Amino acid sequence: MIKLSDTQRKIVEHRDGALLVIAGAGSGKTRVLTERVRNLLENKIGHYRVLALTFTNKAAEEMRERLSDITDLENKAFIGTMHSFCMEVVNQRGSAIGVQGIPHIFSSTGDLIQILSDVFKVNPSLQSILIKKEKPQQFLGQVYQFISEQKRSLRSPEFFLEKPDESDEVNLSAYLYRQYDDMLRAQNAIDFDDLLLLTYKIFTERPKIADMYRRLYKFICIDEAQDLNFAQYNVLKSICGEQFKNVMMVGDPRQAIYGFNDASSEFMCSDFVKDFSPTQIELTENFRSSRAVIQVAQILEPDFQMEGILPIQGEVQAFCCANEQEEAEWVVKYLEELSRKGHNDIEGKVSWNKCAILARNRYVAKQIEEKLSKSSIPYYIRLTSAQESESELIKCFELGMRLLINPADYIHFQQLAKLLNVNNTDITLHKSTDDGNTILRNLYDCAMNSNRSKDSWHNCGDALLSAWKTLTDDNPNFLKALGILEKCAESTFENEIQQKEMVVNDIAMWKQHWKKYVSTSSYGSRTLTQFRNQVALGTTQLQTEKDAVALLTVHTSKGLEFDVVFVIGMCEGIFPDYRAIQKQGKALLEEQHNAFVAVTRSKRLLYITYPKFRKMPWGDIRAQSPSRYLTQMGIPIFSTK
């Protein structure tokens, strides 16, 4: 039995009625959330499931691991992100609002902007409007942003006018929203924003379905509730209706860092309180961070008051480096020294998986990534949520897989045709059949007549065709397909070491995706469509490496903790971000939350660095000043020289 404090036990044993838990960093939030789910499942009265919604796939995986001793867990609880839950709802109940079959998720922004571009191509009057734009791609990006904002505001395309008005940008964007949505549906596809919008429509337009979900899920638990946005909160309300109150929210308004995604802690702290009248409990004990880390965290967020702080002093230091190269070199050397010598405040050896390097954004991490790659230190990168294939061969395989499961997918057909050097005049092939294998065979035949090197491509082409043939939607022999491509790479790229390495790495990545999918699905229910959608949702991504340093952005570090944390690039204009400095107000407040999140990832040792000079992307060398947060925290700054 896990030991709980009196306050934690009160939360875990709470039964009926709404519950709001304000849980500071290191207060055991994950523990109480997990143990409450356990308590609800092990002390069931009647037949029901628990709906546990997490902010990240990693948090969901961690919760499932902690509850793995519960028999038949997957049938007793849904544990996953809100987007994963919405995907399940749309798959099972989408027909109630006209969504046929299992829709395919288009997750790449580039793919979605291409859809928008095609809207203009098929309409001469719209094309003339685009041609007049000084920066057409920028205009397309702005229209796509408008569409995304409407969906996040739960406004369907049918709310908007059917005729475009070139003189009115908002009216034109609204019309394009309708056309964009129609083109997506014609390809049996949806985007991420659709998952929430369609689920909301299902529950509000078909109240009997919402009522069925309320009976199925008697308790709802929501993690990281400070990062809910308008759409997510209203999807929750649409499930609950007027009477259902068994909702638990756990979060910390001091860690609200997703304002760029329209998230606001007000949905947890204000709307939830008004709509659900929850019992409110605050966790104020700290079970994670050293005294030194707590001290600087409290300077950044004065209302971060913790009781029962660990009796470990820890260490917080700041260093100024000559430039970004020296900063990266110093971090690598210090990591190596900690690994060799250890530290008094860390029990046992300082292994690599106890260490993390955090950057405000992925661009700041470039120099340190380069230095790590040349060192003997193992590391893994989580600078964005996406994992993409790098080699042409595996990109072709992936695009072909999309066409096998969705022959109507014209966007990815175009991308595959381009990779195969098939001319635009040959793209009429797509409309000649609704069979994915036939489309791929026709593309292959056209590729053989292109200017691509026939000998090299013939080997790859035959392998691709063979690999695609092993993939059927209801019985995909995915590992066999990858084996065919692996064998091809061995012979075709024997003398092209870099190309071969990219193919091998891509195949290893896709093997891991498949392995993860298999581990979370039952044998008879596996389909290629479901697998591809799970990859798009991020549920098949590798979450950690066994013994490696983590290279993260502040946003991808959310929910993680390490004995040793280095926060690099802590200078004005980087951290806080220059755009937040210009905007002031909420944007700058969120940057302070980012700084709070960064320092509280550390359990014991925290080292903050910044370069005195930075080389700008256009080549200029510019002097840097230390971040206002370093000044605010009052940490002495040492030179690395």
Side-chain angles (χ1 to χ4, degrees):
M1 180 70 178
I2 291 178
K3 187 177 181 181
L4 300 169
S5 69
D6 291 341
T7 307
Q8 288 177 328
R9 186 170 300 283
K10 185 178 179 181
I11 295 166
V12 168
E13 294 178 354
H14 180 89
R15 195 73 188 178
D16 293 315
L19 178 63
L20 173 59
V21 179
I22 304 298
S27 63
K29 169 181 69 70
T30 304
R31 174 185 293 184
V32 296
L33 185 63
T34 304
E35 290 307 304
R36 180 159 191 260
V37 172
R38 179 189 298 279
N39 186 60
L40 291 170
L41 294 177
E42 291 182 344
N43 297 285
K44 289 176 70 171
I45 302 172
H47 298 284
Y48 61 81
R49 299 183 79 199
V50 173
L51 178 59
L53 299 177
T54 63
F55 192 74
T56 65
N57 289 304
K58 184 183 187 304
E61 183 177 347
E62 183 179 345
M63 187 181 292
R64 283 192 292 265
E65 286 176 357
R66 292 189 183 200
L67 297 172
S68 59
D69 58 312
I70 296 177
T71 306
D72 202 24
L73 176 65
E74 63 275 11
N75 289 320
K76 294 177 180 177
F78 179 97
I79 302 172
T81 64
M82 184 168 285
H83 281 88
S84 296
F85 171 68
C86 289
M87 184 78 244
E88 183 175 283
V89 174
V90 173
N91 285 346
Q92 294 177 356
R93 304 293 168 180
S95 59
I97 57 168
V99 178
Q100 300 304 318
I102 297 177
H104 304 273
I105 300 173
F106 283 11
S107 56
S108 163
T109 302
D111 291 347
L112 299 171
I113 290 179
Q114 183 60 50
I115 292 266
L116 199 52
S117 178
D118 286 352
V119 167
F120 285 89
K121 287 179 183 177
V122 299
N123 187 321
S125 62
L126 288 177
Q127 196 163 21
S128 66
I129 294 173
L130 188 62
I131 289 170
K132 293 175 188 175
K133 298 294 179 183
E134 186 178 344
K135 297 179 178 178
Q137 282 302 120
Q138 183 176 320
F139 173 70
L140 289 173
Q142 290 169 347
V143 175
Y144 172 70
Q145 187 61 36
F146 171 86
I147 292 170
S148 181
E149 287 171 1
Q150 301 314 306
K151 291 187 177 186
R152 292 201 303 271
S153 298
L154 301 176
R155 297 190 190 100
S156 298
E158 54 264 27
F159 286 115
F160 297 98
L161 298 174
E162 296 188 19
K163 293 183 179 180
D165 180 356
E166 183 181 350
S167 64
D168 185 339
E169 290 260 318
V170 174
N171 170 275
L172 177 60
S173 295
Y175 172 77
L176 291 169
Y177 177 15
R178 293 180 67 101
Q179 302 304 308
Y180 164 90
D181 203 62
D182 288 345
M183 190 164 282
L184 262 181
R185 296 298 176 270
Q187 298 183 50
N188 191 28
I190 59 175
D191 59 29
F192 269 120
D193 293 325
D194 280 325
L195 288 171
L196 294 165
L197 176 57
L198 293 174
T199 301
Y200 178 77
K201 288 183 69 175
I202 290 168
F203 289 144
T204 55
E205 295 179 12
R206 299 290 185 272
K208 288 185 178 179
I209 294 178
D211 184 57
M212 183 271 289
Y213 274 85
R214 285 192 289 274
R215 293 196 304 272
L216 177 63
Y217 294 105
K218 188 175 179 181
F219 297 95
I220 300 175
C221 302
I222 300 175
D223 191 16
E224 302 286 6
Q226 78 279 350
D227 288 319
L228 289 171
N229 62 21
F230 176 85
Q232 292 167 333
Y233 182 71
N234 280 279
V235 165
L236 171 69
K237 283 184 66 180
S238 71
I239 301 172
C240 295
E242 295 295 325
Q243 303 300 321
F244 186 89
K245 301 295 182 183
N246 288 342
V247 179
M248 171 191 183
M249 284 195 181
V250 184
D252 180 6
R254 295 167 291 246
Q255 297 187 59
I257 62 172
Y258 281 87
F260 63 86
N261 194 34
D262 299 330
S264 171
S265 60
E266 288 299 302
F267 293 113
M268 174 184 77
C269 297
S270 179
D271 294 64
F272 182 59
V273 171
K274 179 183 69 177
D275 296 332
F276 289 82
S277 302
T279 299
Q280 298 184 47
I281 300 174
E282 186 167 3
L283 290 173
T284 57
E285 294 176 293
N286 185 277
F287 300 95
R288 179 171 77 198
S289 300
S290 64
R291 294 179 184 274
V293 171
I294 292 292
Q295 185 177 354
V296 295
Q298 287 175 331
I299 294 171
L300 288 171
E301 296 285 351
D303 63 341
F304 177 54
Q305 299 302 317
M306 305 302 292
E307 302 169 2
I309 297 172
L310 288 177
I312 296 172
Q313 179 55 38
E315 187 171 73
V316 177
Q317 292 184 335
F319 296 89
C320 174
C321 310
N323 51 48
E324 292 166 293
Q325 289 83 2
E326 186 183 289
E327 181 182 33
E329 287 172 2
W330 183 86
V331 170
V332 168
K333 286 180 181 177
Y334 207 90
L335 274 169
E336 290 172 336
E337 185 176 333
L338 282 171
S339 177
R340 285 195 309 272
K341 298 180 179 179
H343 193 282
N344 290 337
D345 286 334
I346 298 176
E347 294 180 10
K349 179 180 171 60
V350 179
S351 53
W352 300 126
N353 62 359
K354 293 180 179 179
C355 307
I357 303 167
L358 273 57
R360 173 61 185 83
N361 60 56
R362 60 193 175 94
Y363 303 107
V364 177
K366 282 186 176 180
Q367 287 293 333
I368 189 70
E369 183 183 351
E370 185 178 321
K371 293 296 179 186
L372 284 170
S373 68
K374 294 177 181 178
S375 75
S376 59
I377 298 175
Y379 69 99
Y380 67 94
I381 305 172
R382 196 188 297 158
L383 302 177
T384 65
S385 58
Q387 289 180 314
E388 298 179 351
S389 301
E390 294 185 0
S391 64
E392 273 195 357
L393 178 62
I394 305 304
K395 282 181 181 178
C396 284
F397 172 68
E398 182 184 349
L399 291 167
M401 177 168 59
R402 285 179 175 272
L403 288 169
L404 286 171
I405 60 180
N406 185 19
D409 183 352
Y410 184 59
I411 289 296
H412 295 105
F413 171 84
Q414 288 177 301
Q415 292 176 12
L416 182 56
K418 185 177 180 180
L419 271 177
L420 299 181
N421 281 354
V422 176
N423 296 329
N424 288 336
T425 53
D426 297 316
I427 290 182
T428 53
L429 293 167
H430 182 253
K431 296 184 179 179
S432 63
T433 177
D434 60 359
D435 177 67
N437 275 301
T438 304
I439 291 172
L440 293 172
R441 180 77 218 189
N442 290 342
L443 268 177
Y444 168 77
D445 290 341
C446 287
M448 290 302 95
N449 296 321
S450 72
N451 294 324
R452 186 182 284 268
S453 170
K454 289 188 178 181
D455 291 338
S456 171
W457 182 243
H458 187 271
N459 290 334
C460 291
D462 284 345
L464 277 169
L465 282 177
S466 297
W468 286 328
K469 284 179 182 177
T470 67
L471 300 178
T472 58
D473 190 42
D474 58 348
N475 187 27
N477 200 333
F478 196 74
L479 293 181
K480 182 179 179 181
L482 291 178
I484 292 169
L485 298 177
E486 199 165 20
K487 187 176 180 181
C488 166
E490 289 288 338
S491 56
T492 305
F493 306 115
E494 187 176 0
N495 299 316
E496 300 174 51
I497 302 300
Q498 288 183 327
Q499 178 70 7
K500 181 178 177 180
E501 184 179 13
M502 280 196 297
V503 173
V504 170
N505 287 339
D506 284 345
I507 288 173
M509 179 185 75
W510 279 100
K511 281 182 177 178
Q512 290 295 337
H513 280 310
W514 181 254
K515 181 180 178 182
K516 187 67 177 292
Y517 172 63
V518 167
S519 71
T520 57
S521 60
S522 56
Y523 177 75
S525 65
R526 291 177 200 138
T527 68
L528 203 58
T529 300
Q530 187 186 64
F531 170 56
R532 192 63 194 75
N533 280 341
Q534 291 301 312
V535 172
L537 287 167
T539 59
T540 61
Q541 283 191 19
L542 275 178
Q543 300 299 337
T544 58
E545 297 290 331
K546 284 189 176 180
D547 190 18
V549 173
L551 180 55
L552 313 166
T553 63
V554 175
H555 286 89
T556 59
S557 75
K558 192 77 180 291
L560 304 179
E561 56 186 52
F562 303 89
D563 284 340
V564 184
V565 170
F566 294 82
V567 181
I568 63 173
M570 185 66 91
C571 44
E572 281 291 293
I574 297 295
F575 207 159
D577 185 88
Y578 71 95
R579 291 162 294 190
I581 296 172
Q582 291 170 352
K583 291 178 182 177
Q584 295 289 306
K586 286 185 178 180
L588 200 52
L589 177 62
E590 186 162 309
E591 283 299 285
Q592 184 141 330
H593 291 334
N594 275 318
F596 177 79
V597 168
V599 302
T600 55
R601 297 313 91 199
S602 171
K603 296 197 291 184
R604 299 290 184 271
L605 314 179
L606 174 64
Y607 303 107
I608 303 173
T609 65
Y610 77 95
K612 194 175 290 186
F613 293 92
R614 288 182 63 233
K615 185 175 183 180
M616 311 310 287
W618 50 90
D620 291 357
I621 304 295
R622 292 198 177 179
Q624 304 295 303
S625 57
S627 165
R628 65 189 66 191
Y629 303 131
L630 274 175
T631 305
Q632 183 179 344
M633 289 185 285
I635 308 170
I637 301 173
F638 301 98
S639 173
T640 54
K641 286 297 185 183

